[in-house]
Amino acid sequence: MIKKFIDICAAEQIFAGVRKILIAVSGGADSIALAELLINARQRFNLELAVAHFEHGLRGQASLDDAAFVKNFAEERGLEFIGGNGNVPTYASENKLSVETAARTLRYEFLAKARRDLNCDATALAHHADDQAETVLMRLLRGATSNGLAAMKFRTRSDDYGLLIRPLLRFRKADLENFCRQRNLSPRTDATNFDADATRNKIRLELIPTLETFNPALVETLCRLAEVTADESDFIAAQADKIFPAVVKNDAIIRAEFLKLHPALQRAVIKKFLAKVAGSAKDFGFVHFEGVRKVLINGLTGVELTKGLRADLKRGILSVTKNFLRKG
């Protein structure tokens, strides 16, 4: 298991440019296995490690016990530890979010601050192959296109959270649990993982077992789909970056240049264009990207977007403006 971990990390260059890693540890088998594997691999990659734990305030004393367990785990191994806590139910209510989304937001904000405070180069997350498969299925059910099916990658960099690394994406959850048993580790168990009311849990507990009756290698198949799609999406994005200056000038799309592009590049350019003029593409979905594409292809006058924005095509130039049309 340790050799496989080291081989994957070397082959995928997961630690390129990384010296100090903050390990996000919940106390469950996945994150405990990740920490133990990194401890055994740190000499090979010349790494310095620290452990972070966020207590969500969701499970009373059990959550407090998780935090104490992780702190003790880190201290026994001589690792720097940083803990944080938050009130997820209150945050979810105040911001009109699901508990799952609120927990993720607060956790990632804590990890980002902890990474900066401890001067770490990256944050290691314990997402594994089963998580990847669940994510692909969840996004597929929500109508994601190929870019969305790329799901999680070994390395992801963002302005908000810095470099996130996921070294376990080729390991099954069962393998990680077995590794913990072999190493005489005693990870904590989160009972909410078996709550069938949560969408992800229903996918894990009900949908995947059903689909595995048709394809026993379902998880491996979905992970392969995610990995290949990620590579293809990265390639298309790189090509879009190259041709973007010729297609987009003065924050407007030149229709004549746009029509020369393959549909895959058209969609990538539109997404990059909307992100540029609106500051972010997160509020736009496929319907908006495709709406703009149809305007350009068919020479339509324009289309309503979101957040009061509108794309207008005039004399072969498409621009996005705030829609000040009267209400009603």
Side-chain angles (χ1 to χ4, degrees), residues 121-136:
D121 303 301
T123 302
L125 304 174
H127 296 123
H128 47 71
D130 296 73
D131 291 326
Q132 181 81 295
E134 293 162 17
T135 301
V136 171

Side-chain angles (χ1 to χ4, degrees), residues 21-324:
I21 296 175
L22 180 70
I23 315 169
V25 180
S26 67
D30 310 337
S31 59
I32 289 295
L34 172 62
E36 191 74 4
L37 286 165
L38 283 168
I39 288 169
N40 282 274
R42 61 181 168 180
Q43 186 173 354
R44 163 67 173 78
F45 296 103
N46 192 28
L47 300 172
E48 184 178 347
L49 306 176
V51 169
H53 176 84
F54 184 74
E55 195 271 296
H56 298 86
L58 287 172
R59 296 183 295 114
Q61 187 60 45
S63 287
L64 298 175
D65 291 344
D66 288 349
F69 171 81
V70 175
K71 185 174 187 293
N72 184 62
F73 174 89
E75 291 177 345
E76 283 183 346
R77 288 155 179 79
L79 301 182
E80 195 172 2
F81 173 82
I82 185 168
N85 60 78
N87 191 319
V88 170
T90 298
Y91 184 83
S93 176
E94 291 176 347
N95 294 276
K96 298 180 180 179
L97 300 171
S98 68
V99 171
E100 184 179 18
T101 299
R104 182 186 186 281
T105 300
L106 289 178
R107 181 171 65 253
Y108 273 69
E109 287 179 352
F110 159 73
L111 290 172
K113 184 177 185 303
R115 177 185 56 79
R116 294 190 297 268
D117 290 346
L118 298 184
N119 196 30
C120 294
D121 303 301
T123 302
L125 304 174
H127 296 123
H128 47 71
D130 296 73
D131 291 326
Q132 181 81 295
E134 293 162 17
T135 301
V136 171
L137 279 177
M138 183 180 292
R139 292 185 178 183
L140 182 63
L141 292 172
R142 290 175 177 173
T145 57
S146 59
N147 191 54
L149 297 182
M152 295 180 285
K153 303 177 183 179
F154 286 112
R155 290 169 58 102
T156 306
R157 190 180 295 277
S158 76
D159 293 336
D160 294 330
Y161 305 125
L163 177 62
L164 302 177
I165 59 174
R166 300 178 176 89
L168 300 181
L169 287 180
R170 292 208 184 117
F171 290 87
R172 295 295 305 270
K173 182 176 183 63
D175 297 331
L176 301 175
E177 292 172 339
N178 287 336
F179 177 73
C180 286
R181 283 191 289 270
Q182 292 167 4
R183 306 287 291 192
N184 293 318
L185 302 171
S186 301
R188 303 279 295 172
T189 299
D190 184 348
T192 62
N193 289 334
F194 303 98
D195 180 3
D197 289 337
T199 300
R200 180 177 285 274
N201 288 351
K202 291 185 75 171
I203 290 174
R204 176 189 307 127
L205 301 173
E206 299 175 18
L207 181 57
I208 287 181
T210 298
L211 293 176
E212 283 180 328
T213 63
F214 297 92
N215 178 4
L218 177 73
V219 170
E220 291 81 359
T221 299
L222 291 173
C223 288
R224 184 168 60 247
L225 171 65
E227 196 165 330
V228 171
T229 304
D231 289 340
E232 293 174 350
S233 295
D234 287 345
F235 175 77
I236 292 172
Q239 296 306 305
D241 288 343
K242 290 180 181 178
I243 54 90
F244 194 79
V247 182
V248 177
K249 297 182 184 296
N250 300 319
D251 288 341
I253 295 179
I254 312 303
R255 181 172 182 253
E257 295 297 323
F258 179 86
L259 294 177
K260 298 176 184 178
L261 304 178
H262 185 279
L265 278 176
Q266 289 178 346
R267 294 186 176 99
V269 165
I270 289 172
K271 183 175 182 180
K272 183 176 175 66
F273 167 70
L274 290 178
K276 183 174 186 291
V277 298
S280 171
K282 67 180 182 180
D283 292 323
F284 301 103
F286 179 78
V287 65
H288 303 117
F289 302 138
E290 203 64 7
V292 173
R293 197 171 80 90
K294 288 180 179 178
V295 167
L296 286 160
I297 290 175
N298 299 315
L300 306 178
T301 57
V303 64
E304 301 293 332
L305 298 174
T306 186
K307 301 292 184 180
L309 298 177
R310 176 180 171 82
D312 288 301
L313 180 64
K314 296 179 180 178
R315 294 186 290 276
I317 305 294
L318 183 136
S319 58
V320 172
T321 57
K322 193 75 174 177
N323 188 354
F324 294 107

